[in-house]
Amino acid sequence: GENVEQHPSTLSVQEGDSAVIKCTYSDSASNYFPWYKQELGKGPQLIIDIRSNVGEKKDQRIAVTLNKTAKHFSLHITETQPEDSAVYFCAAMGDNNDMRFGAGTRLTVKP
Amino acid sequence: NAGVMQNPRHLVRRRGQEARLRCSPMKGHSHVYWYRQLPEEGLKFMVYLQKENIIDESGMPKERFSAEFPKEGPSILRIQQVVRGDSAAYFCASSPGGYMNTEAFFGQGTRLTVV
C-alpha cells in the first residue's frame, strides 16, 4: 500500500517568512495529492490539492509543487501570518481512491 | 450543502461498553474514510468504504472494531468492549469518488473518552 512520509515534524518561522513542508510517497500509481490544515480541536480542512498531470499550483499565498519522477511534493506558504499556525497534513491517493496521510507538520508562526 | 456531519462530537464510555460513531457524508458523496488521531499525533487510516462495501480495512484492529456504510443512512464505526487505549479523536472524511474527482472533506470528529 501507499506510504507517505512528511518532513519536518515541527517548523517555526517568523511572521512574513516562508514555510516549506515536504512529502514523499511510495506508490507511483498515486495521482492526487491534497494538503490539509488542522487547527486545534477541529477537523482537517482541505486547503489546496494537485493532480499528477500538473507540476505546480498556486492559490494566493500557498503553492504546491509535484515531482512525479522523484515521487515528492511540497507545500509552500509565503508571507506567513500567525493565523497560519496549525498542523498541516499531506496525503496521496490513487485510482482506487484509497487515501493515506503523512504524519503532519506543526507550523508555528511567531509574530 | 451541509458538510460532513459526525455525531456525537464527544462520547464518554466506561470500559467494556460499546461506542457507536456516526458519519453522514456530504450530499452526493459515496466514499467514506475513517481515521483515528491520538493527541499530538497524525491521522491513522482505519477503513475505507463505499456504499454497502468495505474497500480497505487494513488499518482497523481485527477485534472489537467494525464499520459499515449502508445503502441508506450514515456510516457507522462501532467499537465493542472499549478499553482506555481506544480514547482518541475519530475523524471521517467523504469524497465523491471516481477518477480525477476525489476531493475529500472531513467532519469535525468524535472525541471518544473511555473511563
Side-chain angles (χ1 to χ4, degrees), chain B residues 59-72:
Chain B
M60 203 143 75
K62 300 243 183 304
E63 296 180 353
R64 302 190 298 109
F65 285 72
S66 62
E68 63 176 10
F69 188 15
K71 187 177 179 181
E72 301 291 338

Side-chain angles (χ1 to χ4, degrees), chain A residues 13-78:
Chain A
V13 300
Q14 209 63 40
E15 183 177 0
D17 287 351
S18 294
V20 180
I21 302 170
K22 299 181 180 181
C23 289
T24 59
Y25 60 100
S26 61
D27 188 352
S28 56
S30 290
N31 55 30
Y32 174 66
F33 307 92
W35 286 88
Y36 290 83
K37 175 183 180 182
Q38 187 179 27
E39 296 175 327
L40 193 63
K42 297 185 178 180
Q45 181 181 13
L46 179 67
I47 56 171
I48 194 167
D49 56 19
I50 190 167
R51 301 184 190 281
S52 59
N53 57 348
V54 174
E56 184 175 354
K57 182 176 178 181
K58 191 172 181 181
D59 182 3
Q60 298 183 349
R61 296 187 297 108
I62 58 174
V64 290
T65 58
L66 171 64
N67 183 328
K68 278 195 69 179
T69 304
K71 288 191 278 188
H72 67 68
F73 55 114
S74 301
L75 176 73
H76 304 252
I77 306 174
T78 58

Side-chain angles (χ1 to χ4, degrees), chain A residues 36 38 95 97-100, chain B residues 33 35 37 56 99 102 104:
Chain A
Y36 290 83
Q38 187 179 27
D95 287 346
N97 295 128
D98 215 338
M99 187 161 61
R100 294 289 190 273
Chain B
Y33 311 81
Y35 296 87
Q37 187 176 42
D56 182 352
Y99 183 68
T102 47

Side-chain angles (χ1 to χ4, degrees), chain B residues 13-17 19 64 79-83 86 114:
Chain B
R13 284 286 178 266
R14 296 189 184 279
R15 280 179 295 170
Q17 290 185 320
R64 302 190 298 109
I79 312 172
Q80 295 178 290
Q81 300 171 354
V82 296
V83 300
D86 296 332
V114 179

